[in-house]
Amino acid sequence: SSSSSSSLSASNQNTESNSRQPPTFLSVLATLRAPLLELAFFPPQFVAAAHFPVYTTSPTDFSRAMLHSLAFLTSLQIDENTNEDSQMMGGIVGEAATRVAAAFRNNVGVSFTSLDGNHRNHQNQNPLHDRFGSELLHLSWKSLEENELDLIMSLISRPGGQTAVLTPSLADKLKHLPLFETLAGPPRVALLPSTHRSTNTTTATNNAATFNSSTTTEDNDFYTLGMDMFDDTRGLPLPPSAKGRFLINKPELVDVYRDLGITTLSIAGVVTRFLLPNFQEMEESEQSTLLLFLKNNWLELKRDNEEFLNAMKDVAFCKVAEINVKPSTLLDPNHQLLSYLFNDDKTAFPPSDFCDEEWLSILRECGLKSKLDRDTYLRSARHIEDLCSFPLEPEVEDKASQLLRFLIEHDDEFFDPTFTRSLGMIKFVPAERIEWKASSMNSINAIDNNENEGSMLVSFSEAAVFKDRHLVWSSKHVIPVHLVPPQMMWSSLSIKTPPEIEHVLRHFKCLITAPNFDRWPFPDPAVAVFNSIFTYLEDNWDKVSPAIKSSLKEIPCVPVGMTLVKASRLYFRMGTSQNLAPFMFEVPRALGSHEKLLKALGAKQTPTISDFNEFLLELNGECKGSSLNPNEVEATLKVVRSVAADRQKQTLDQQAASPIDIYVPDDRCTMVTTKEVLFNDSPWLRGRVRPESMRYVHPFLDLSTCRSLHIANVSDVIEEQLEEGFQPAYCDEKYGDEPQRFSALLTSRELAVGITCILEHHQSGANVQGFNHDTNEVSPEKMTDKVQRAISGYDVRYVDDIRSRFLRRIQNKNNTSSSSSHQNITDKEYMVDITSNTGAIGSLHFILPNTGKGDLYHKGKHSSILIARSQLPSSITPAYVVALALVHHVLPIAITSSLGVIAPLAAILGSHVEEVGPVLRLLRLEQDERGTRERRRGVPGQLLLDEDKSNIEFKPLRVFVPDEVVACDPNNDGALIYARVLITPEDEADDSYSSNGPAEESSSTLNTVDNYAPINSIKKVRLLVGPGLAPIVKLASDVYSFKAARERMTNQDDDIDQTSTHIDQDRIVNIPSYRENLQPISSSSVSPPASSLSNNQDHKENNTSMTASSTIGSKSSPLGESEMLEAVEGILAKVDLSLKSDQKALMADTLRLKARLDATSHDLEISRSKVAELTDDFARIPDEYRCPITRELMDDPVICSDGHTYERDAIERWLRGHRNSPKTNAPLSTRTVLPNHNLRVIIESFKSRRGM
């Protein structure tokens, strides 16, 4: 109405003048410039009255109506750029708009045809529009003073002085009104800012909403402080942005705040919601104040708010290196291990301000790492990894060790697959590695040297555990034994055990290619390391590539002592071979279990001659012309001698069929072929021939060895010839008949006998050339004849001087024509002059064949021995020179040391014929006929001496010992000769051969199961019947042995030379008597043939054959049934007996039964042996374990009053009838016995160990 408009206008005009007066509701509305449009909220009678002030029927209704109106008007959003109609209709919506339109139509005179603002009837002008213009709906909240706002607030909150009860709808409307005071001060704010609010009315609210509310559930939450905090907030540095969120807590508004859902925060809530989230925005002084407050009120804060502790854990309030960090990122300085591990990193711990115990207690609750858990352990491991350097510092190594020890001691806390997988990749494990620098080799690549030698920090995946140290200590770092983690973690830590084969092979290469193997750097012995490697290779041999396998066969890779040896030069049994170090060895005992691997690498059971030949060839390639050291020379000579010894066992035809060309050491200790060297039997040629023209075999190889190897003598290839154009000037007449006396002496029998006598005395050092392969002719008479034939064809001539040249015979390999400096002998040989510049002069004798025919050793008649008589000094006699000529050129001998022959020969040459015998006696060189005969005794091929013929015996069932001297008739001509039982190297290499005797084949009818060979069976025996002759094989029935001297002593009264009693040839052997002779078969022997042995009846078949346990045994072949019967018939034929056909069958059955009996006897013998062992065990029971009464092992030992221990049953029986000691016979003080518990325990342990 117009009156209401006038009143409202008047009130609006007098607002400023009456500002100091208590505000009235109308004045407030005027100040707000709020039109009374919301008349629909007033009772109808008041609307009809249309005059102000408007009063409702009750204060509560008025309060509610005012709240609705203000909330509605506040929610309008006016766009000042639109026209009036738009302004009026733009903010009126819904039911309220309808009611307002009706009110205006009935009372104000304003009618609306529609609500969309498209049409409007202007019956009258709007009086409100005339008064307020376009700012009709703008509420000027900022124009209100505090007391005016308080009035509105009091009308709403306490209508009529009573507490208002706000429904949720009314509370929501109230939240939109900017009536609330905050700690930030004016302007007042609305609790729920509307997006439709005008700019003027929302400024304060927007300012209040700018604080950090990240910890709240809603961005627009407001709070009140407790009454005790309202004034000073207890000194907390509340930030300005946060103050706008706290409403001033007035007592009259408590109920309103409750209805509005405003939360009253405690000090802990303030800190949790507003201070801690904004800690980083505070000034440093404010932060310090807050921290001091937290420290002083920690328990209270933690008790009052459950979220407080979680908020503290998320706040970075510890300043470390000018950066605020959370406590959970720091470590407890009081933790001993952590403080040691991170003593080099101060940023890992709280700053000094936080290191007092009170703060540390707070920090621990906020997440300070005070325990070495999984995350902290990983952090510690990475920290140590960052400290790694080379060389590794001791402190860092100690830190890593202590960290690992903690893992081992608390393994149950860290056993988590995720954790261990992460830990396995961190390089914090202290491990050791020995880098042994290796030399490059053709077959094995050199080891790559790197800087990882010694202790380093590695990851578990890169390291090996201590138990695998032998396999990889030079190729991988090894974790010390005290730092190895529990085995259950190995897989998740990526520890590989056993290591990969690549690492093992690399380590093995390093070991076997190291140039200083004798400087073994590893603590454990080399044999232990190689044992482990060989075991690994045996288990993974299929993974080794063929190229590596081939390389390992070619290089030394097996340790023998402190030397590496090729596997091909190792043997599991050297047999009769001598020590051949440093080239060939027996497999060390420590490596004997790796037989399979060693054989795969080339090791063999026993060395053979082919192995020796191959070794010499390899040695030459390895030496490449360099000299051998003394040990190498000694071993090489042993090998050469073994090859030569094998050659000596061959016949001449066999040697010719298998020519040999091996490498041997020369006199300079370098390896050369046998064709390049000579045996120096003429050392006097040194200086007379050019040195480069001759190479001599090593002087430790004797003549016999060199001949077996076809090494020529110097005297065989060097020929001395008179210088071309030189004519000797004879001067015999100057010296009377001296030359003629020598010539006459050479034709005498006495000289030949004297030379033979000298040779016999020198036989130990001489080798008779002419008789090497015809030992049957070696007798003093035959030797004398041969010597006489050799020397009788020479005479002696004196000349003034001798000028000669030395020509060497050389094989013409290419069969090409020689140069003019050579003298061709044949198409295959030519002569080369090797005389030195001064070598033409110097010869004191020369053999001149007058006929020019024959060779230098067997001259025909009229060959002359020229003596340079004029050149002889006074100290050298002509006889000595003649002796030189005879020994070196005439006599049919080759003497390794001729000085022992030349001197006595010169003595007899200087005498007359009749003085030869006396001179020999003066020289003590008389002929020893007995000694000569004795030297022939036992020599294979020599005829039996008379004294041995009477001592032979016939025992076809005995076992012959290797190298035993026996007698046989190889040609079946009745001439018995000496022979030796032979065991060849091939026999020794046979696996069936053992030191206890030969193992026979199971095919024989005489054998039993399990390859048990009966000892007393006729065998084949291999015999050596002469040097250079092939061994022969004879049945044992054709071999005679010799009686033992002790057996002959028991029959010394018998006539051992008388012949046996004649036995009628028609006499037939009865089978029963023959079986009697066979029983017991193990101790039977057959009597010697009657033609050669005594008929002593006491001697019968009591000779006991050798048993397998007492002899080495000979390699003899078993006989079949037919062969055995044939042998028996042969045996009987020797005593003029024979078998009938039915007896043959019966004997065959007997032999088969005997074989079974032997098998049973063998089993019985084994059982007896076991019984004997048990008996021995029982006999070895200590006396203190035996009862003195029963002498048996005690079961229940007790102590008697005499102090001795007895079996309980035995002593109790004794005490029933005696009062004295059974051992000392002294009176007993009491009959009470006490158990001996200690002895009983000892006896039970003894019985357990012995299986009793």
Side-chain angles (χ1 to χ4, degrees), residues 565-837:
V565 182
K566 281 185 179 181
S568 60
R569 296 181 186 174
L570 287 177
Y571 303 92
F572 291 95
R573 188 176 62 190
M574 293 293 288
T576 58
S577 302
Q578 297 174 334
N579 179 22
L580 300 179
F583 295 121
M584 293 185 178
F585 302 87
E586 195 167 62
V587 174
R589 289 181 178 271
L591 302 178
S593 60
H594 306 291
E595 179 178 359
K596 182 178 179 182
L597 175 66
L598 294 178
K599 285 186 175 181
L601 295 178
K604 298 181 180 178
Q605 192 68 25
T606 56
T608 62
I609 298 303
S610 61
D611 294 330
F612 290 153
N613 293 337
E614 184 178 354
F615 157 72
L616 294 173
L617 180 63
E618 291 178 356
L619 181 61
N620 175 71
E622 293 171 2
C623 294
K624 298 179 180 180
S626 59
S627 300
L628 303 175
N629 65 38
N631 294 319
E632 294 172 336
V633 170
E634 183 178 359
T636 305
L637 292 177
K638 290 178 182 178
V639 172
V640 173
R641 293 190 188 104
S642 297
V643 175
D646 179 73
R647 298 281 295 180
Q648 290 173 358
K649 295 178 183 178
Q650 300 177 1
T651 64
L652 294 177
D653 294 338
Q654 290 173 333
Q655 293 182 11
S658 57
I660 188 171
D661 184 16
I662 64 173
Y663 284 88
V664 296
D666 63 6
D667 56 348
R668 300 176 184 175
C669 298
T670 58
M671 299 298 293
V672 294
T673 62
T674 53
K675 294 181 179 180
E676 297 180 69
V677 292
L678 301 172
F679 177 77
N680 190 9
D681 62 344
S682 302
W684 57 273
L685 285 175
R686 290 185 183 274
R688 302 196 64 188
V689 297
R690 297 193 303 272
E692 68 276 6
S693 63
M694 307 282 283
R695 295 192 72 172
Y696 305 104
V697 74
H698 197 278
F700 282 1
L701 293 178
D702 57 20
L703 179 62
S704 175
T705 301
C706 291
R707 282 183 174 169
S708 300
L709 300 176
H710 293 177
I711 297 176
N713 297 339
V714 171
S715 58
D716 293 337
V717 299
I718 300 298
E719 181 177 336
E720 185 178 11
Q721 297 181 0
L722 294 178
E723 192 174 46
E724 186 176 357
F726 172 75
Q727 294 295 330
Y730 295 98
C731 57
D732 296 333
E733 63 280 359
K734 294 182 181 180
Y735 301 98
D737 62 348
E738 194 174 87
Q740 290 77 13
R741 182 178 61 80
F742 284 129
S743 299
L745 191 59
L746 291 178
T747 60
S748 65
R749 180 72 177 181
E750 290 79 0
L751 179 61
V753 172
I755 293 176
T756 302
C757 180
I758 294 173
L759 293 179
E760 286 181 354
H761 280 275
H762 192 69
Q763 189 170 6
S764 59
N767 189 2
V768 183
Q769 178 185 3
F771 312 130
N772 281 344
H773 306 291
D774 191 9
T775 56
N776 291 330
E777 296 184 8
V778 179
S779 64
E781 296 79 10
K782 293 181 179 181
M783 175 69 113
T784 301
D785 294 340
K786 188 141 188 161
V787 169
Q788 187 172 10
R789 287 195 301 270
I791 65 177
S792 61
Y794 289 86
D795 56 10
V796 177
R797 301 291 304 274
Y798 287 176
V799 295
D800 289 335
D801 62 349
I802 297 175
R803 294 184 63 84
S804 60
R805 309 291 294 181
F806 297 96
L807 305 179
R808 178 177 178 180
R809 184 181 294 105
I810 298 179
Q811 297 291 332
N812 188 4
K813 299 180 181 180
N814 299 327
N815 293 331
T816 57
S817 59
S818 59
S819 62
S820 59
S821 62
H822 300 165
Q823 301 180 15
N824 284 341
I825 301 176
T826 64
D827 292 340
K828 296 183 178 180
E829 292 183 347
Y830 60 91
M831 303 291 287
V832 177
D833 188 350
I834 60 174
T835 310
S836 64
N837 295 334

Side-chain angles (χ1 to χ4, degrees), residues 445-483:
N445 295 331
I447 304 303
D448 300 330
N449 298 326
N450 54 45
E451 298 180 354
N452 292 333
E453 181 180 358
S455 295
M456 279 199 66
L457 297 182
V458 297
S459 63
F460 282 112
S461 60
E462 298 171 337
V465 292
F466 186 78
K467 76 178 186 68
D468 295 330
R469 64 194 183 283
H470 291 170
L471 301 176
V472 291
W473 56 257
S474 69
S475 60
K476 292 187 73 173
H477 285 80
V478 179
I479 305 174
V481 60
H482 65 285
L483 298 180

Side-chain angles (χ1 to χ4, degrees), residues 912-926:
H912 295 282
V913 174
E914 62 277 7
E915 297 175 345
V916 172
V919 170
L920 288 175
R921 285 192 293 274
L922 291 174
L923 295 177
R924 301 180 181 181
L925 295 175
E926 290 184 283

Side-chain angles (χ1 to χ4, degrees), residues 1009-1021:
V1009 295
D1010 300 329
N1011 290 335
Y1012 172 69
I1015 297 172
N1016 296 309
S1017 60
I1018 297 179
K1019 305 176 180 66
K1020 294 179 181 179
V1021 185

